[in-house]
Amino acid sequence: MEEKQSNANDPVSEWVTFYLAEEKYGINVMLVREVLKNTEIAPVPGSPRFVLGIINLRGNVVTVVDTRTRFGLPSKEEDDNSRIVVIEMGEHVLGMMVDSVAEVMTLRQSEIEFAPNVGNDDSAKYIQGVSNQENELVILVALDSLFTQDELLKGVSAH
Amino acid sequence: MSDRRKYPDLVAQKDALSLYFDALLREEAQLEPEWAEPTVEIVPQLPVLAPPVLQTLQMPEPELATAVSQEDGPPAWADSNFQALLFKVGGLTLAVPLIELSGIQEWHGEQVTPMPGRISWYLGLMQYRGRSVPVIDTAELVLPTDRLQRLEAAATRLNRVVFIDDGRWGLACDEVAEVISLEPEQVRWRSNRTKRGWLAGTVIEQMCAIIDPPAFARMLATGMADDAEDETTDA
């Protein structure tokens, strides 16, 4: 793939891509702090359904969410490929459990399509856009709509 | 109403058609007199294929937005003869007017990317004319729940995708049949489309339901389908 140069008319952005149920998703690299594997998750009683539990990240407690559940996809047992993508949104740090992490992808603005709204399903608002890359559609996640402020606070205060 | 008795067969035929589409498109509990009422009065005057157009002309002009008036009575393309493509979804024959048809492609499940969400009839995005277009399982959307239970799995049932609304939506279907020519008078246009607004009318000869693609597209975008409303309770 040729190097994608940024220019004023068509800026480029970088996306960490991961898989959920055989589909490729991307989140803006600027929001990703790190990617973890084989991390023990402590369940939190009474937490929302999409919260798997908490992890200890170098002395800091971080809530881990089941991204599949959040997207309305069937849950899956963790395996060797499972990863926790740690994201930072403002003052909140969250872990997102994904099936596997793929790569960092550079996309031109012109390569990102608007994802049409279908029905009045809440899940649609989590999608920022899509990009067709080598016959594979990458679904770009709008992290700021994925979790409401209220949910972030609940998730964080669950422990 | 003595005239009506002269045409018992015609009345029965129309009732039979109403029952047929009722069974296809409705839950039994939802039966409303949406179809049957206007025909009873029209039948004595125009026994054969009475067009409810006469009725809509008597209706007061809708004062509200065009979106509302578009869904009452025959759409603009039905002013004169028009052609329509027949396609089949789970035992129901639908017709899309050619003027509103953007194209047809083969269905290949592996070329459709499912999107996260809880809408059962949304199959995913498919590349069409260089853009990602949402494809929906038409049968899942238009057929009532009891018929859906008898529906084959999408992987074996779907064969073609019919694109409408300038290629912005793909309607996956079981098969595409022939193109027919229709006179507006052959169609029983629905005069009041408060529910199931995508259904413009029905044709007895072909036993098909004519869709109004712009109304269909609006329903897909807003999720105003009768059945789709149940899907969002778990939000």
Side-chain angles (χ1 to χ4, degrees), chain B residues 50-89:
Chain B
V53 180
L54 292 176
Q55 271 235 326
T56 49
L57 290 175
Q58 293 158 12
M59 290 170 60
E61 278 292 311
E63 291 169 15
L64 285 172
T66 47
V68 176
S69 57
Q70 276 168 5
E71 293 186 13
D72 272 337
W77 40 259
D79 282 348
S80 55
N81 291 7
F82 64 98
Q83 292 188 306
L85 173 79
L86 300 182
F87 63 102
K88 294 183 180 175
V89 296

Side-chain angles (χ1 to χ4, degrees), chain B residues 122-141:
Chain B
Y122 182 22
L123 294 165
L125 291 176
M126 174 177 174
Q127 297 304 303
Y128 178 67
R129 292 183 185 165
R131 65 180 170 189
S132 301
V133 175
V135 177
I136 64 133
D137 188 344
T138 319
E140 279 244 15
L141 186 63

Side-chain angles (χ1 to χ4, degrees), chain A residues 117-119, chain B residues 71 164-166 168-169 171 198 211-223:
Chain A
N117 199 35
V118 178
Chain B
E71 293 186 13
I164 59 164
D165 195 29
D166 202 19
R168 278 190 282 265
W169 295 95
L171 312 181
W198 56 270
I211 66 170
D212 180 1
F216 207 112
R218 272 195 297 280
M219 171 186 70
L220 294 175
T222 56

